[in-house]
């Protein structure tokens, strides 16, 4: 049952007078539930509980935390149809998408549980003492990763499960040993409350400390600002717009004790269409990219919003074919009227720029909140002069840039802002002829794709979901996959520390059986 209250640790609370409702974009009307905005007192209480919980939670074994994460996954599944129905009512997305995203959310939790069970993620490193070394003896030094403290996670609008209450940021932070306070996204607060109840039920079942998790409601920006500025918060995770992520980043940097904000802020995900590929498979490329541009109504951070090619008959044919294919696809519902309005505003701004042609703009009337897909095109020189055309249009929109030659194509890539992904469509032998294009693209993105689409993001250790600013605030870290845990930890060294007081990961006999670096050698051996 959805109560509309905040979770302060394992207790529900509704101290405030301000309430709001979520919205069903398919029906174009508000949902029935009232949610109570978190008050400053509730914010302080949640963070105080998290700070106390941290002292215990950081010492809990990896195996026990793995049990907690696995139990969260089980409790999310146990929510059954109620979760799926609430998700659909608050997002406008179909039940198949909801079920798939629930599976992904559970899979992420279980993946981090596996990381914890194996245990080597702490990067235990030991350099043994050399007391007889001349001219100066060498101390015994042992280093590992340790959690940094309470983490605030902002739910994402476009993934009510996989990037929200129990999504990748929360799962990785809990895995690291950090308590989490979630600022629930106002578009899907009911979904968030249900998932929060599952997390807290799992915490109780596995004996986690009260305060290891809290969930706070908010329809505006005040609660988020207070959370980021609170002196006991040690890091922030965010997925959303550049405006929102940059604002949080700036707030965190202005604190007396600055803290890291790991914000993933969107991307236009350039796709380079090399000449031979266009000649040999233009038709199939058009079908593939019409689907990729419109999947999920274009509401993925990896949506291919920018297609780059060199002027030719083949590129002209591709633009015509892409335009035809994309108009065959029925429009679908966006997440919220505000997102629908922003899509139309940003799209209209883009296509009203000088030098823009629009070969495809869905012509028929649609239901409220259903986005009309659009393909635009522009020449390379105009694109280089107008940074407005570089900006993300969140929705089913893409612009094809027709460059004069290879040199201009490289210049366009080099002038792009940082991106999550870059894709090269090419024949197998063709890509080796364009090393400068590949190098330029590599310098602007976090992940490069060969003959695929960027809209598939696998959850695995080799995935990099991040990129140079403004795609993310720190290009050294990923928001997806096992290495996402590294955002919430810091390296810590023990020098000549009593061996019986060392953490398990650094003890001589390696009781955890993990892989460690001992005097420069990776090994599971004991000392």
């Amino acid at each position: 049952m959805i109560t509309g209250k905040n979770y302060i640790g394992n207790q529900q609370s509704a101290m405030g007078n301000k309430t709001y409702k979520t919205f069903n974009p398919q029906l174009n009307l508000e949902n029935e539930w009232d949610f109570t905005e978190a008050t400053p007192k509730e914010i302080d209480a949640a963070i105080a509980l998290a700070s106390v919980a941290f002292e215990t939670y950081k010492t809990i074994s990896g195996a026990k935390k793995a049990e907690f994460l696995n139990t969260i996954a089980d409790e999310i599944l146990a929510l059954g149809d109620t979760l799926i129905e609430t998700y659909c009512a608050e997002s406008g997305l179909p039940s198949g998408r909801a079920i798939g995203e629930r599976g992904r959310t559970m899979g992420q939790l279980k993946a981090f549980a596996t990381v914890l069970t194996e245990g080597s993620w702490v990067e235990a490193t030991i350099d043994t003492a050399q007391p007889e070394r001349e001219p100066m003896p060498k101390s015994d030094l042992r280093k590992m990763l340790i959690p940094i403290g309470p983490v605030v996670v902002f739910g994402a609008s476009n993934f009510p499960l996989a990037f929200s209450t129990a999504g990748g940021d929360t799962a990785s932070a809990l895995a690291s040993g950090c308590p989490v306070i979630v600022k629930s996204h106002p578009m899907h607060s009911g979904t968030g409350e249900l998932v929060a109840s599952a997390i807290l039920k799992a915490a109780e079942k596995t004996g986690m400390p009260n305060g290891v998790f809290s969930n706070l409601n908010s329809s505006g920006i005040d609660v988020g600002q207070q959370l980021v500025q609170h002196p006991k918060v040690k890091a922030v995770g965010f997925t959303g717009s550049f405006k929102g992520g940059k604002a949080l980043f700036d707030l965190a940097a202005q604190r007396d004790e600055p803290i890291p904000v790991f914000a993933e802020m969107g991307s236009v995900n350039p796709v380079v269409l090399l000449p031979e590929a266009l000649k040999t498979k233009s038709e199939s490329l058009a079908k593939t990219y019409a689907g990729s541009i419109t999947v999920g109504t274009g509401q993925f951070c990896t949506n291919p919003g920018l297609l780059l090619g060199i002027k030719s008959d083949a590129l002209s044919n591709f633009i015509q074919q892409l335009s035809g294919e994309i108009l065959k696809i029925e429009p679908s519902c966006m997440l919220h009227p505000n997102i629908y309005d922003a899509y139309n505003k940003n799209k209209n701004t883009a296509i009203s720029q000088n030098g823009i042609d629009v070969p495809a703009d869905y012509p028929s009337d649609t239901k409220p909140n259903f986005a009309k897909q659009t393909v635009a095109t522009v020449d390379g020189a105009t694109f280089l002069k107008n940074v407005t055309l570089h900006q993300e249009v969140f929705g089913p929109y893409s612009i094809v840039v027709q460059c004069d030659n290879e040199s201009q194509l490289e210049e366009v890539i080099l002038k792009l802002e940082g991106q999550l992904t870059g894709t090269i469509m090419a024949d197998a032998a063709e890509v080796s002829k364009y090393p400068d294009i590949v190098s330029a693209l590599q310098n602007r993105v976090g992940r490069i794709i060969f003959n695929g689409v960027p809209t598939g993001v696998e959850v695995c250790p080799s995935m990099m979901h991040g990129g140079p600013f403004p795609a993310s605030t720190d290009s050294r870290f990923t928001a997806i996959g096992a290495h996402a845990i590294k955002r919430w930890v810091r390296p810590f060294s023990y020098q000549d520390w009593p061996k019986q007081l060392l953490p398990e990961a650094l003890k001589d006999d390696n009781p955890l059986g993990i892989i460690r670096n001992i005097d420069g050698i990776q090994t599971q051996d004991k000392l």
Side-chain angles (χ1 to χ4, degrees):
M1 184 180 72
I2 297 170
T3 67
K5 296 180 179 180
N6 300 286
Y7 277 106
I8 313 300
N10 57 21
Q11 298 295 315
Q12 288 192 322
S13 177
M15 295 181 180
N17 297 318
K18 183 178 179 181
T19 62
Y20 65 94
K21 294 179 182 290
T22 57
F23 195 89
N24 187 323
Q26 287 274 5
L27 301 179
N28 201 34
L29 51 80
E30 287 185 327
N31 290 306
E32 60 182 302
W33 314 292
D34 286 309
F35 297 93
T36 304
E37 190 106 6
T39 64
K41 188 173 181 180
E42 288 170 318
I43 293 168
D44 286 342
I47 296 172
L49 274 178
S51 298
V52 173
F54 177 57
E55 297 307 313
T56 300
Y57 189 58
K58 69 182 181 181
T59 68
I60 291 175
S61 70
K64 192 68 177 172
K65 289 200 290 287
E67 181 188 359
F68 176 33
L69 296 184
N70 281 324
T71 305
I72 294 173
D74 294 341
E75 292 297 332
I76 288 173
L77 185 61
L79 292 168
D81 290 343
T82 300
L83 177 63
I84 302 303
E85 291 163 3
T86 305
Y87 173 111
C88 294
E90 293 186 319
S91 69
L93 296 168
S95 59
R97 161 72 185 268
I99 292 167
E101 196 179 327
R102 179 181 63 184
R104 180 187 176 122
T105 304
M106 294 166 58
Q108 289 174 161
L109 289 158
K110 291 179 179 291
F112 280 110
T114 299
V115 169
L116 293 175
T117 301
E118 193 280 327
S120 297
W121 73 273
V122 297
E123 297 181 2
T125 304
I126 299 173
D127 286 286
T128 54
Q130 297 177 22
E132 307 302 324
R133 190 181 70 174
E134 295 292 345
M136 182 181 293
K138 177 186 173 187
S139 293
D140 181 277
L141 281 161
R142 304 184 184 213
K143 184 178 75 172
M144 64 181 291
L145 300 176
I146 64 170
I148 57 178
V151 170
V152 168
V153 170
F154 286 77
S157 65
N158 58 338
F159 283 89
L161 292 175
F163 278 88
S164 291
T165 311
D169 287 351
T170 296
S172 56
L174 291 175
S176 76
C178 294
V180 171
I181 304 106
V182 165
K183 208 292 284 183
S184 186
H185 198 284
M187 291 183 190
H188 45 76
S189 298
T191 304
E193 183 182 330
L194 290 171
V195 174
S197 71
I199 296 172
L200 291 167
K201 190 175 288 186
E204 182 181 2
K205 283 186 175 182
T206 57
M208 296 299 115
N210 185 25
V212 72
F213 178 84
S214 292
N215 186 69
L216 302 177
N217 294 320
S218 172
S219 60
I221 64 174
D222 289 349
V223 170
Q225 289 176 333
Q226 292 173 57
L227 286 167
V228 173
Q229 292 173 313
H230 199 289
K232 291 184 178 179
V233 168
K234 300 303 179 185
V236 175
F238 173 87
T239 300
S241 69
F242 172 76
K243 180 180 178 182
K246 183 61 163 56
L248 296 178
F249 181 81
D250 291 343
L251 275 179
Q254 292 161 9
R255 290 174 29 143
D256 290 341
E257 178 196 346
I259 58 172
V261 173
F262 298 103
E264 186 264 283
M265 300 180 291
S267 176
V268 295
N269 306 295
V271 177
V272 177
L273 305 162
L274 290 181
E276 289 302 317
L278 282 174
K279 286 180 183 178
T280 58
K281 49 188 177 184
S282 176
E283 185 176 351
S284 64
L285 284 176
K287 289 181 179 179
T288 296
Y289 272 90
S292 184
I293 292 164
T294 56
V295 66
T297 327
Q299 298 168 119
F300 291 169
C301 52
T302 51
N303 195 54
L306 180 63
L307 309 179
L308 309 174
I310 298 171
K311 289 178 181 178
S312 66
D313 290 342
L315 180 59
S316 297
N317 289 337
F318 168 78
I319 293 169
Q320 184 177 0
Q321 290 165 339
L322 175 65
S323 300
E325 292 295 335
I326 208 165
L327 293 179
K328 294 177 183 177
I329 298 170
E330 287 294 320
S332 53
C333 189
M334 299 200 83
L335 294 159
H336 191 273
N338 291 347
I339 291 179
Y340 171 80
D341 290 343
Y343 167 66
N344 285 316
K345 177 183 176 182
N346 294 334
K347 180 178 74 171
N348 290 334
T349 296
I351 64 177
S352 67
Q353 302 298 303
N354 291 332
I356 300 296
D357 289 323
V358 183
D361 191 18
Y362 194 83
S364 303
D365 290 337
T366 61
K367 297 178 184 177
N369 307 314
F370 277 57
K372 297 182 179 183
Q373 55 265 33
T374 300
V375 173
T377 185
V378 68
D379 64 69
T382 303
F383 184 83
L384 286 168
K385 293 175 185 176
N386 190 344
V387 295
T388 298
L389 300 175
H390 300 202
Q391 306 310 308
E392 180 184 26
V393 176
F394 189 70
Y397 168 89
S398 192
I399 183 168
V400 183
V401 180
Q402 302 184 64
C403 300
D404 291 336
N405 48 45
E406 181 184 343
S407 177
Q408 190 178 67
L409 174 59
E410 182 183 354
E411 184 182 3
V412 165
I413 295 169
L414 289 171
K415 290 290 178 66
L416 291 176
E417 297 79 5
Q419 309 292 334
L420 294 172
T421 76
T423 302
I424 292 185
M425 305 302 297
D427 286 349
E430 183 181 20
V431 69
S432 62
K433 300 175 184 177
Y434 293 86
D436 292 341
I437 297 296
V438 174
S439 178
L441 193 59
Q442 183 181 29
N443 287 335
R444 305 312 305 138
V445 307
R447 172 168 59 112
I448 196 166
I449 301 149
F450 183 66
N451 280 352
V453 294
T455 38
V457 183
E458 186 70 32
V459 180
C460 67
S462 298
M463 175 53 63
M464 177 61 195
H465 191 69
F469 186 86
S472 69
T473 47
D474 195 328
S475 63
R476 298 170 298 171
F477 295 93
T478 180
I480 292 178
H483 293 161
I485 199 172
K486 293 184 180 181
R487 296 173 295 171
W488 321 117
V489 294
R490 63 185 178 92
F492 185 85
S493 288
Y494 295 85
Q495 183 168 331
D496 294 328
W497 201 249
K499 291 185 178 180
Q500 69 275 17
L501 299 180
L502 286 165
E504 300 280 271
L506 296 177
K507 287 184 173 177
D508 284 359
D509 58 352
N510 193 14
L512 300 178
I514 62 175
I515 298 171
R516 306 187 295 182
N517 186 306
I518 300 178
D519 292 330
I521 298 173
Q522 295 287 112
T523 179
Q524 284 182 285
D525 292 348
K526 301 176 182 180
L527 269 175

